[in-house]
Amino acid sequence: MDFVKTIESSLEELLGSGIKILPALLAALVILMLTRYGAGFARKLVTKVSHKTLRSRSLQMLVAKTTYVTAWIVGILAACVVAFPGLELGDLVATLGLSSVAIGFAFQDIFKNFLAGILLLVQEPFRLDDQIVVGDYEGTVERIDIRTTKLRTYTGERVLLPNSAVFTSAVLVRTAFDKRRSDLAVGVDYNTSLPEAKEILQRAIAEVQGVLAHPEPEIDVVGFGDSSIDFIVRYWTLPGMREVRQAQTRAMIMIKQALDRAEIGIPYPIRTLYFFDQQKYNDFLSTGQKM
């Protein structure tokens, strides 16, 4: 009977404790519900303000996300303090401070990428929709997240680059300016009049759709090749890869047609072969010996 009474008393104590903390649990639940709406409202408000004050879309998204997460952290801490009256806010802060050291060692790569992402967003070496080259990867910047920079390659694939690697690497931004130059090599045979060929190339490239009139295209003679005299056609287009590719295709077609009309050939590689009797040059024969 004593055992049963002990169980009954324990259950009564648990029930009494549960009834006592029930209002606190309900209050904590209310705080979490309010936090949900408050965090959403704060994110919308910060998003609206950041759209007017910040140029970088990635930085706008980061500020909104940070505000949302911070609001939830504050709400959860407040709910814990209300639900457990014996737990003080100072204890929570001290616990978080002690655990942050261990977390820092465990997640140092994440923090490193996070800080690099912040610096990339603040300094803006490139923006969303810029076309960049980082190491062996090239593509369009889709997004800069807390940990990674997302690239969409020209073949429709996605590459996730750690922010720290992007921040410490040399980055080629192909769309940093409003125009971009391309160099197209053209070879003509040695019987060609060079002034005439230069004039033909100048007229041809000027008529190509997508080639900008300013800066004006330039035609340079760059060398005497094995089978041709080599020109470089330098012209400017819009900086996007699509515009560059399309203009290059049109330029090659237009130049080939112009040279064909002028009956100027683009020679194949040529090799001259000499045939001789190698027996006359054998080293083992003496100087006066005849075959």
Side-chain angles (χ1 to χ4, degrees):
M1 296 296 294
D2 293 337
F3 179 71
V4 175
K5 288 181 179 180
T6 302
I7 294 177
E8 289 178 353
S9 62
S10 299
L11 291 175
E12 289 176 357
E13 290 178 1
L14 289 174
L15 182 60
S17 300
I19 293 174
K20 288 180 181 179
I21 66 172
L22 183 60
L25 291 177
L26 292 176
L29 182 61
V30 171
I31 291 175
L32 291 177
M33 294 177 63
L34 293 176
T35 300
R36 177 184 177 185
Y37 292 103
F41 174 77
R43 180 168 60 180
K44 291 180 180 178
L45 180 62
V46 170
T47 300
K48 185 179 296 184
V49 173
S50 62
H51 275 237
K52 297 180 180 179
T53 57
L54 300 175
R55 294 183 302 170
S56 172
R57 282 187 289 163
S58 292
L59 191 57
Q60 294 170 7
M61 290 185 289
L62 178 63
V63 171
K65 185 180 294 185
T66 302
T67 302
Y68 184 77
V69 172
T70 302
W72 267 108
I73 291 175
V74 173
I76 291 173
L77 290 176
C80 289
V81 172
V82 171
F84 306 102
L87 185 63
E88 297 182 357
L89 184 60
D91 297 333
L92 287 174
V93 174
T95 302
L96 291 175
L98 292 175
S99 61
S100 62
V101 177
I103 294 174
F105 281 108
F107 299 97
Q108 57 180 335
D109 288 339
I110 295 178
F111 292 143
K112 180 171 63 175
N113 289 319
F114 173 76
L115 293 177
I118 296 295
L119 292 174
L120 288 174
L121 292 172
V122 172
Q123 295 181 357
E124 278 193 303
F126 50 82
R127 302 179 183 179
L128 297 186
D129 297 328
D130 269 338
Q131 294 176 352
I132 67 173
V133 181
V134 183
D136 297 331
Y137 302 101
E138 180 176 357
T140 304
V141 180
E142 283 189 319
R143 187 169 179 174
I144 303 175
D145 285 332
I146 293 177
R147 193 183 70 84
T148 60
T149 297
K150 296 181 180 179
L151 294 185
R152 184 180 68 253
T153 66
Y154 304 132
T155 55
E157 300 168 315
R158 173 173 290 172
V159 179
L160 303 180
L161 300 176
N163 288 333
S164 59
V166 177
F167 185 74
T168 56
S169 299
V171 180
L172 174 62
V173 184
R174 295 195 182 278
T175 53
F177 304 103
D178 58 353
K179 60 179 69 71
R180 176 175 159 194
R181 196 187 79 185
S182 297
D183 295 348
L184 180 60
V186 181
V188 299
D189 61 44
Y190 272 86
N191 296 323
T192 304
S193 169
L194 297 186
E196 179 186 0
K198 181 178 180 180
E199 184 179 354
I200 291 172
L201 293 174
Q202 190 79 49
R203 290 200 306 266
I205 196 64
E207 297 175 359
V208 175
Q209 179 184 355
V211 172
L212 302 179
H214 302 284
E216 186 178 355
E218 298 178 359
I219 312 297
D220 295 328
V221 182
V222 295
F224 297 99
D226 294 337
S227 56
S228 64
I229 299 177
D230 299 325
F231 286 84
I232 293 291
V233 181
R234 310 183 195 277
Y235 59 91
W236 295 79
T237 64
L238 295 178
M241 181 58 69
R242 181 178 180 181
E243 289 79 5
V244 171
R245 288 189 296 101
Q246 291 178 347
Q248 181 178 358
T249 299
R250 299 189 192 103
M252 294 179 70
I253 293 174
M254 189 73 71
I255 289 173
K256 179 64 167 60
Q257 292 175 346
L259 292 178
D260 287 345
R261 287 193 297 269
E263 297 183 352
I264 296 176
I266 301 177
Y268 296 101
I270 297 174
R271 295 290 182 270
T272 302
L273 303 178
Y274 296 93
F275 296 92
F276 58 90
D277 186 0
Q278 192 173 0
Q279 293 295 327
K280 295 182 179 180
Y281 298 91
N282 284 339
D283 293 339
F284 69 87
L285 296 176
S286 62
T287 306
Q289 185 176 355
K290 296 183 180 180
M291 296 297 296

